[in-house]
Amino acid sequence: MEKIKIFVEELINWCGLTGAWVPYVRYLILIIIAVVLAALAGYICRKFIPLITRLTKKTPSRWDEVLFNQRVLRSASNVVPAIVIWQLLPLVFFEFPLLREVLTRLTAIYITVMAVRTVIVFIDSFKLLEGEKRTATQQYLYSFCGVLKIVMIFIAVIIVISILINQSPATLLAGLGAASAVMMLVFQDTIKGLVAGIRLTSNDMLHKGDWITVPSAGANGTVEEISLTVVKVRNFDNTIVTVPPTMLADGAFQNWIGMSEGPGRKQTRKVYFDFGSVQLLDEATKQQLVANGFVKAEEVEGKVSNVTLFRTYIEQWLATQPSVLSDMTILVRQAEATQAGMAIEFVFWLKEKGGPAYERATSLIMEYIYAAAREFGLVIYQQFPKQA
């Protein structure tokens, strides 16, 4: 800095300037030098950005390419010119202590804000490391990054205030003990969300990309975002539902991840039959069922009911369907009867896990069951509206 000052004085003497204009020329030259050096420092930093980007792309790991992306590097390069100006202010305004003090504080505030912004951008870069489904470790990191951003903003506010009032940040932090209750009240949702997020991830209850159902919140779709204060769920009609993490941690919700990662989706349906249609089959009906290929001759020997043959046939028929997992449980059983009639429950697993294909396969199976019941003489129970 002294060399710059000496250089300016020699330059003024070499130009032969004298009189009252010398101080103004000196300040003008010093200001120009400060601006040029700051601009040069920023230019050099920006020129290094493509070089750093190329170096990170050549490494086999992906984390350095993500964390040191162009957005982070550009934000960091904006801090360097301010640091140069901050260092040169005592040289430029050495004869104006009040102006120097004001400009120094403003520059320090700018450096603080831009440095914190760079840190926040760097923290946000961790989001790019996650895949379509966020693991428990990634969710821990994501929650920690959310808390870290809040802490960094809080520290930046303390530093800016300390610069403005010319006090040590430690003095301000010591005086915040009395205001801790207020801070807890302001950040209570964030604190509760952090605790709830830790509970969800530590127990492996929720991940990004999971299909969940929260009836109390009207959520039935895929988790798109998990933050400290909200869980964003995109329903299958493309509406977005926001659910507080505390609701998921303290309440009840259904996670379909087991079904999504499994071989298929379980389907359970009940059909109610009129008790008046349950009967023992006569020989003519038996022969007709054998002739139509519904049962085998050995299955109709002796006294047998139409319900028994119907259950046996449907179980065998379900095992032959291409949309049904034959190696999973296939069960047609008699459930507890109600006033609606005799309940037959159909349990099977479909290869399709959701969407139109799943609904279509279920409909085709149930429609065939309804139609096949008539062949066995069974009548499906239904209530007819009362006529006026």
Side-chain angles (χ1 to χ4, degrees):
M1 294 176 62
E2 290 297 329
K3 291 182 179 180
I4 296 176
K5 189 174 180 180
I6 295 172
F7 169 77
V8 172
E9 295 294 338
E10 291 178 352
L11 181 61
I12 293 174
N13 293 331
W14 179 77
C15 294
L17 293 176
T18 58
W21 288 98
V22 173
Y24 298 104
V25 174
R26 181 188 299 113
Y27 288 127
L28 179 61
I29 295 174
L30 289 174
I31 291 173
I32 293 174
I33 291 175
V35 172
V36 170
L37 290 177
L40 182 61
Y43 176 79
I44 293 174
C45 291
R46 287 191 294 272
K47 282 298 182 179
F48 272 102
I49 293 177
L51 176 61
I52 297 174
T53 303
R54 287 195 295 269
L55 291 176
T56 54
K57 287 183 178 180
K58 290 181 179 180
T59 59
S61 57
R62 181 172 176 265
W63 65 266
D64 54 350
E65 183 179 349
V66 171
L67 298 182
F68 297 101
N69 57 73
Q70 290 194 7
R71 187 161 173 251
V72 174
L73 296 175
R74 286 198 189 99
S75 181
S77 64
N78 292 332
V79 183
V80 177
I83 295 176
V84 174
I85 293 292
W86 183 64
Q87 290 289 334
L88 294 177
L89 281 176
L91 171 65
V92 177
F93 300 100
F94 63 93
E95 291 185 354
F96 298 94
L98 181 60
L99 180 60
R100 181 185 61 193
E101 184 68 20
V102 172
L103 294 178
T104 301
R105 292 189 185 185
L106 292 177
T107 308
I109 291 174
Y110 175 83
I111 293 173
T112 302
V113 172
M114 294 305 298
V116 172
R117 181 179 179 273
T118 301
V119 174
I120 292 176
V121 172
F122 179 77
I123 293 172
D124 287 337
S125 300
F126 283 93
K127 296 180 182 179
L128 302 176
L129 290 173
E130 57 186 46
E132 184 178 353
K133 291 183 69 65
R134 183 184 297 165
T135 64
T137 303
Q138 288 174 335
Q139 181 56 40
Y140 272 126
L141 181 61
Y142 191 80
S143 300
F144 176 75
C145 288
V147 176
L148 188 58
K149 286 196 293 184
I150 294 175
V151 172
M152 292 304 301
I153 294 173
F154 177 74
I155 293 175
V157 171
I158 295 296
I159 294 175
V160 169
I161 294 175
S162 66
I163 293 173
L164 289 175
I165 65 176
N166 197 23
Q167 293 289 333
S168 172
T171 305
L172 292 178
L173 290 173
L176 288 177
S180 59
V182 178
M183 300 299 295
M184 292 288 290
L185 181 63
V186 172
F187 295 105
Q188 62 174 338
D189 292 337
T190 302
I191 296 172
K192 290 180 180 178
L194 174 62
V195 175
I198 292 175
R199 288 172 58 188
L200 291 173
T201 53
S202 61
N203 295 319
D204 204 22
M205 298 167 61
L206 189 65
H207 308 83
K208 180 184 175 184
D210 287 358
W211 170 16
I212 66 171
T213 303
V214 190
S216 59
N220 182 17
T222 305
V223 177
E224 286 198 340
E225 192 68 47
I226 305 174
S227 63
L228 290 176
T229 55
V230 70
V231 175
K232 292 183 181 179
V233 181
R234 181 180 290 276
N235 288 340
F236 295 115
D237 58 357
N238 280 334
T239 57
I240 302 295
V241 178
T242 56
V243 184
T246 51
M247 178 183 290
L248 300 178
D250 299 335
F253 70 97
Q254 190 173 15
N255 193 331
W256 296 83
I257 186 173
M259 181 274 296
S260 300
E261 295 179 349
R265 180 176 177 180
K266 184 180 179 181
Q267 181 61 277
T268 302
R269 291 293 182 94
K270 280 185 181 180
V271 179
Y272 292 90
F273 295 93
D274 190 345
F275 278 109
S277 65
V278 179
Q279 58 184 343
L280 296 176
L281 298 178
D282 54 23
E283 290 300 325
T285 306
K286 290 179 181 180
Q287 295 303 321
Q288 184 179 359
L289 290 173
V290 172
N292 292 336
F294 288 102
V295 294
K296 297 178 181 178
E298 57 270 18
E299 294 177 346
V300 296
E301 294 178 356
K303 295 182 178 181
V304 61
S305 68
N306 55 351
V307 177
T308 303
L309 292 179
F310 175 71
R311 290 191 298 102
T312 303
Y313 168 72
I314 294 300
E315 279 191 0
Q316 296 173 352
W317 177 80
L318 285 173
T320 62
Q321 297 307 299
S323 60
V324 178
L325 291 171
S326 58
D327 56 342
M328 302 295 286
T329 302
I330 298 177
L331 179 64
V332 181
R333 71 180 188 93
Q334 186 176 155
E336 184 178 357
T338 66
Q339 61 181 3
M342 180 185 62
I344 300 296
E345 188 174 59
F346 305 88
V347 181
F348 52 92
W349 291 75
L350 292 175
K351 296 178 182 178
E352 299 292 340
K353 302 175 184 179
Y358 167 79
E359 299 295 340
R360 191 179 300 113
T362 303
S363 299
L364 289 174
I365 289 173
M366 295 309 301
E367 288 163 1
Y368 182 84
I369 290 174
Y370 298 147
R374 181 176 296 181
E375 300 292 332
F376 290 83
L378 293 171
V379 178
I380 297 175
Y381 175 83
Q382 64 180 17
Q383 286 183 328
F384 294 96
K386 293 182 180 181
Q387 297 182 355

